Amino acid sequence: MNNPNPVKIVETVLRDGHQSLCATRMRTSDMLPMLEALDDCGFYALEAWGGATFDSCLRFLNEDPWERLRTIRKHVKKTKLQMLLRGQNILGYNHYADDVVTEFVKRSVDNGIDIIRIFDAFNDTRNLETAMKATKAAGAHAQGTLVYTISPYHKDSDYLKLAKELVEMGADSICIKDMSGLLAPYACASLVEALKKEISIPVNVHSHCTSGMASMTLLKGIEAGADIVDTALSPFAETTSHPCTESLVYTLKGTERDTGIDMDKLGPIADHFKKVRADLVKTFKLPSNISINPKVLSFQIPGGMLSNMLNQLTEMGMADKYEEVLKEVPRVRADLGYPPLVTPSSQIVGTMATMNVMMGRYKMIPNEIQDIVMGKYGKTPGPISEDLKKLVRRWIVKKTGKTVISPITHRPADDIPPQMEKMKADLAAKGYPNASVEDVLSYALFPEVALAFFKNNR
């Protein structure tokens, strides 16, 4: 049929699918046989880079993430390549200087990225400014992100205000990023309708199946006017990942929102990735029995973190503490002012919850928790617990000897001087005077991990 308004599909099998189900362990060699076939399907975009893939390539797979991107780009010629960027955090776990953010964005686009989905864990737009400007300057599509969560401080009106700020910053589209499967179907319809009334750029719905609602959520979002949705091919779909691509394509077939994607092209690709997943589970000893868990509506941990957390607790011999840690997560989150649980806040809150279960509540307070309380990650959605503030002040006074401790209220990155030249000098001093800009950026984000990789590969 002649369809004037097809739903556009972002296929996530090359990034969020395996990050959610296989701890981000898919190798470039696993992707390579199907890249041309994926390119021929008619997807709006392939999410293929960013998120945890950069770290995982260097740390676990002995791969250069920049080379992975160039390889994918070489084989994917028709379809847009998309990446996930954590604003001022880039792909790391703390804030970096503006010059590092700007150079990273430029090099990402130069190496093949077309669309950059930019988010901040606290939805603090000050932490998105530099990445948004750099993306626009590089000529790429800047997708501004509403990190979705449920709390007393997150309502449709708050998300609408945030979306308008992102439009003013130059966003080319808006993504509702429901990383934990918290977005209920009718809530999605309400939010999409509100956005479509107030903004003129496309709206993308991203939801994980962790609670069991995401397929319904996407459908209600589509009915409400969503332009783009994220899905994953069946072997890397459902549970803590995304709704199944094949199922959604079939659901919309023959309707006014028909995707136009040929189901017959998806089957052979899915067959390949079914074998890939089985191999990853066996090779990396990953959990294969991840199931839907409606309790996520309470503990709110995103899909990718759930598989990693269970894996890490198992390695520590603490798998029996999994449920106890999950119950502690929302308590820590409330103490910290209800930040959405997405990288890096999800890791920080998850680590704190684990330490509280192991040692007793706040017997040890990591630097990252201290930094959140002191405003170094940005403004939290709600107020931070006064008891936690007192504990953190005591820790900092003990550590620094200072007597006056006040949280910052300005943009956190304003306190970070330029870093690129220093990183180049540091890398030269460590034996790499002719390092590429990409290698300098890898070192800037993950110094020890990158050096170990360079030792074996440079």
Side-chain angles (χ1 to χ4, degrees), residues 187-219:
C188 180
S190 173
L191 181 52
V192 170
E193 285 173 3
L195 291 170
K196 294 296 288 184
K197 283 178 184 176
E198 298 289 337
I199 64 174
S200 59
I201 59 178
V203 174
N204 187 157
V205 179
H206 165 106
S207 184
H208 288 253
C209 299
T210 318
S211 67
M213 297 190 294
S215 293
M216 295 180 285
T217 294
L218 289 198
L219 195 55

Side-chain angles (χ1 to χ4, degrees), residues 388-403:
L388 182 56
K389 285 182 183 176
K390 289 174 186 175
L391 283 172
V392 166
R393 286 191 188 105
R394 284 185 206 146
W395 271 85
I396 296 175
V397 166
K398 184 177 179 181
K399 183 170 63 175
T400 65
K402 294 179 180 178
T403 55

Side-chain angles (χ1 to χ4, degrees), residues 341-352:
L341 293 185
V342 66
T343 305
S345 58
S346 56
Q347 283 82 356
I348 295 170
V349 170
T351 298
M352 188 74 261

Side-chain angles (χ1 to χ4, degrees), residues 37 202 300 382:
Q300 298 195 10

Side-chain angles (χ1 to χ4, degrees), residues 16-322:
D16 208 359
H18 68 96
Q19 180 169 323
S20 296
L21 295 181
C22 286
T24 331
R25 295 299 196 272
M26 192 186 291
R27 300 150 296 202
T28 305
S29 59
D30 298 320
M31 305 171 184
L32 206 50
M34 287 295 123
L35 291 178
E36 281 92 351
L38 284 166
D39 192 26
D40 195 42
C41 286
F43 295 119
Y44 169 67
L46 294 172
E47 192 199 44
W49 210 59
T53 61
F54 196 97
D55 182 3
S56 187
C57 276
L58 292 168
R59 191 184 301 269
F60 300 115
L61 304 179
N62 193 39
E63 288 191 23
D64 184 341
W66 298 99
E67 186 57 34
R68 170 179 291 191
L69 174 56
R70 288 189 288 268
T71 299
I72 295 172
R73 179 79 282 173
K74 180 181 176 183
H75 293 273
V76 176
K77 301 181 188 297
K78 297 180 290 188
T79 311
K80 294 180 178 70
L81 292 183
Q82 179 172 306
M83 71 169 290
L84 182 66
L85 189 82
R86 301 169 192 150
Q88 207 71 31
N89 291 157
I90 310 179
L91 300 177
Y93 304 101
N94 51 268
H95 284 177
Y96 300 91
D98 287 341
D99 64 334
V100 180
V101 176
T102 299
E103 192 62 53
F104 192 95
V105 168
K106 182 180 183 302
R107 293 291 166 164
S108 299
V109 175
D110 287 349
N111 280 278
I113 290 295
D114 301 295
I115 303 170
I116 304 183
R117 178 176 292 168
I118 307 166
F119 77 92
D120 176 65
F122 291 178
N123 284 325
D124 187 336
T125 53
R126 298 174 303 171
N127 295 332
L128 304 176
E129 290 172 4
T130 300
M132 290 285 285
K133 287 178 184 174
T135 301
K136 300 292 285 185
H141 177 117
Q143 186 174 79
T145 305
L146 317 179
V147 178
Y148 185 86
T149 190
I150 299 170
S151 88
Y153 303 95
H154 294 87
K155 303 180 291 297
D156 278 6
S157 56
D158 300 310
Y159 292 119
L160 188 54
K161 179 176 178 289
L162 175 58
K164 289 179 177 178
E165 288 181 34
L166 292 168
V167 170
E168 289 175 7
M169 293 169 69
D172 296 298
S173 62
I174 293 293
C175 175
I176 304 168
K177 180 177 171 60
D178 172 32
M179 60 284 165
S180 301
L182 307 178
L183 183 57
Y186 288 99
C188 180
S190 173
L191 181 52
V192 170
E193 285 173 3
L195 291 170
K196 294 296 288 184
K197 283 178 184 176
E198 298 289 337
I199 64 174
S200 59
I201 59 178
V203 174
N204 187 157
V205 179
H206 165 106
S207 184
H208 288 253
C209 299
T210 318
S211 67
M213 297 190 294
S215 293
M216 295 180 285
T217 294
L218 289 198
L219 195 55
K220 292 303 291 185
I222 289 165
E223 289 175 353
D227 304 279
I228 312 163
V229 295
D230 290 8
T231 62
L233 282 163
S234 50
F236 283 91
E238 307 298 330
T239 63
T240 54
S241 183
H242 301 280
C244 173
T245 302
E246 300 97 306
S247 302
L248 188 68
V249 168
Y250 191 81
T251 297
L252 298 175
K253 189 174 177 61
T255 73
E256 62 182 14
R257 303 303 309 277
D258 192 324
T259 65
I261 292 172
D262 184 350
M263 283 284 292
D264 291 338
K265 292 183 178 181
L266 302 180
I269 306 174
D271 290 343
H272 168 80
F273 283 112
K274 183 178 181 180
K275 295 174 184 174
V276 168
R277 184 176 177 190
D279 178 59
L280 295 181
V281 167
K282 180 179 178 182
T283 301
F284 295 103
K285 298 179 174 59
L286 300 171
S288 60
N289 59 343
I290 301 170
S291 60
I292 286 173
N293 189 351
K295 290 180 183 177
V296 72
L297 296 168
S298 170
F299 54 72
Q300 298 195 10
I301 294 175
M305 186 184 170
L306 273 175
S307 60
N308 276 302
M309 178 182 279
L310 179 57
N311 193 40
Q312 289 162 4
L313 286 171
T314 301
E315 288 175 354
M316 293 163 62
M318 288 180 55
D320 60 318
K321 300 290 186 184
Y322 183 58

